[in-house]
Each structure stands twice: as C-alpha cells, then as structure tokens.
Amino acid sequence: MTSRTRTWREYRWGVGVLSMLSVLVALLVAAPSQADNDALWQAFLAKREGVQVAGAGTVTRVLKDDTRGRRHQRFILELDHDQTVLIAHNIDLAPRVEGLERGDRVEFYGEYAWNARGGVVHWTHRDPGRRHINGYLIVDGQRYW
C-alpha cells in the first residue's frame, strides 16, 4: 500500500474550488435581501403580477389589519420614484411587526401584484406548505417571517 502526499498544486486547486463554491452559496442566500426598487418600479410600469421582489422603503401610513379570511398587517411604504406600495403581511403565518410607525425603514422580500396605486407586496412570510418562495420583512435589524 503506497502512501501518496498531496502536492501544493492539488491542495491549492481544492481550496480554490471550495472558495468559489462558498462565495456562490453566499450570493444565492443573500440575493433576496438586496433591495432593488428599480426592478419594482419596472414591474409597476409593466403592470406585472406574481413577480418576486426585494425592496426597501419608509412607512408613510400604518393601516388597520385586514381581518377578513387570513389576517394581514397592512402598511404603505414610499419607495424611490415616488412609488408607494402596500405591504400585506400575513400575521396568521408570521409574527406581527410590533410598534411599526410612520418613518420606520422596512426592507421586504415578497410577491408583487400591480395596482394603479403602486402595487401590493404579499407573501412576506414563510410558506408552511413549501409551495411558494419564502418572503420576509426586516425592521430595525429584526427579520419577520
């Protein structure tokens, strides 16, 4: 039985491959958290439906909860381009954002649906049935999903 020691070249190649894989995984995991209000603006202009979006905005209005059917916490965010979007956050499946106030900064990832007022973002939570992409809200560094 012969013992073979690895050469520096083989070792360096393996480390390079592992490094590239770890960078790729980090990019894939972090991608949804990158706010892209320009893509959201393009979805609004094109009247798109069912588009996964990541964005960030400032709360301009906190609305009453929608209690018909599944309950949703609702609030309006102002984004770039003077666009506003309604966030409909399902509080039967995800925790409520307590203490949310006008002026708070919110990052979000969810599904966009067009309307003439700027659109609605929903699915800002995990899907317990694992049939839909998980979404979330981030407020003051706290993730809600």
Side-chain angles (χ1 to χ4, degrees):
M1 181 172 228
T2 59
S3 166
R4 182 174 182 264
T5 59
R6 291 192 172 162
T7 66
W8 172 247
R9 183 175 293 169
E10 289 172 321
Y11 179 78
R12 192 173 62 182
W13 182 85
V15 168
V17 169
L18 288 175
S19 295
M20 289 187 334
L21 285 173
S22 65
V23 167
L24 180 60
V25 168
L27 287 173
L28 290 174
V29 169
S33 69
Q34 300 301 315
D36 190 356
N37 290 347
D38 287 334
L40 194 56
W41 177 244
Q42 293 304 316
F44 171 72
L45 292 175
K47 300 181 179 181
R48 307 258 335 257
E49 299 276 333
V51 179
Q52 285 299 129
V53 294
T58 303
V59 176
T60 59
R61 263 181 87 193
V62 177
L63 305 171
K64 287 176 48 178
D65 290 350
D66 178 359
T67 57
R68 292 172 296 184
R70 292 194 170 148
R71 299 174 309 134
H72 287 78
Q73 181 179 17
R74 302 177 313 143
F75 52 93
I76 307 289
L77 292 181
E78 183 175 332
L79 312 175
D80 303 331
H81 309 289
D82 293 325
Q83 180 182 8
T84 59
V85 68
L86 169 66
I87 302 293
H89 182 61
N90 187 323
I91 53 176
D92 285 335
L93 296 175
R96 166 188 297 284
V97 180
E98 294 295 342
L100 189 67
E101 297 178 346
R102 183 180 178 156
D104 287 347
R105 184 84 174 154
V106 178
E107 292 180 48
F108 58 88
Y109 184 68
E111 184 177 292
Y112 176 78
W114 182 88
N115 70 30
R117 292 183 169 180
V120 179
V121 175
H122 57 112
W123 284 98
T124 57
H125 54 83
R126 292 181 179 160
D127 177 13
R130 296 183 179 177
R131 292 181 303 265
H132 195 279
I133 297 171
N134 293 330
Y136 58 81
L137 301 174
I138 298 176
V139 180
D140 290 330
Q142 174 73 39
R143 185 181 299 245
Y144 299 86
W145 62 348

